[in-house]
Amino acid sequence: MGTYRSGYNLTSKPRQNGDNVTFHEPSTAASVLAGDTAGITVDRPRVIVDVNLLLIREKEILLGRRKGGFADGYYSLPAGHLELGEPVVAALIREAHEELGIDIESDDARFVQVMHNSYGIGRLAFFFEVKKWSGQARNLEPHKCEDIRWFPLNALPEQMVPHIRDAIGHYIEHGDACLTLYGW
């Protein structure tokens, strides 16, 4: 039996399994933030991770019209990027508070979809349905979002970010948690 080295954090304490193979624990976000970059390589794909909020009120969904930058003038879901060391549900809760001023309990966020999108260097977009929150949704990022508006799920605006339209369409049609692909 040889020794397996994962390529991650080779400075960590090795573990032995029953077959006498040594494994090294991978780096964690905390260890990377502390400066341990063992195992961080450029030869493996890297993707951007977003969280997307399907805020549902009866049979309506909240959308915002983007302002400046990507998809300027197109409607999209309230969304944001995952920060290093942040779980996806925590990112969703943070983004909802930062962008809309609402508070969401983690138990009220139901995972409905992850989309692997070919845009740019690749993205993984997590979608969560939320039907219960506290506070009144309002546009707290007017420099990024022209307006927010409730739309009937069966009458979405014509000018929408295409992959967001696909994600909402899948949510309406299927509703169950799933993996979808876009642009591959």
Side-chain angles (χ1 to χ4, degrees), residues 66 70-77 113 115 117 119 127 156-170 180-183:
R66 299 183 60 90
F70 173 74
D72 184 34
Y74 284 73
Y75 280 95
S76 190
L77 294 168
Q113 187 175 165
M115 175 185 282
N117 186 339
Y119 178 75
F127 294 83
L156 298 175
E158 195 170 309
Q159 213 169 1
M160 279 190 69
V161 175
H163 74 274
I164 297 299
R165 179 182 295 286
D166 282 8
I168 294 171
H170 193 278
T180 58
L181 302 175
Y182 184 85

Side-chain angles (χ1 to χ4, degrees), residues 8-9 11 25-41 46 84-85:
Y8 297 110
N9 196 359
T11 60
E25 296 294 330
S27 297
T28 64
S31 66
V32 170
L33 287 170
D36 180 4
T37 58
I40 305 299
T41 62
R46 301 286 182 239
L84 186 61

Side-chain angles (χ1 to χ4, degrees), residues 8 16 18 83 86 112 177:
Y8 297 110
Q16 295 283 325
E83 294 180 357
E86 184 178 42
V112 293

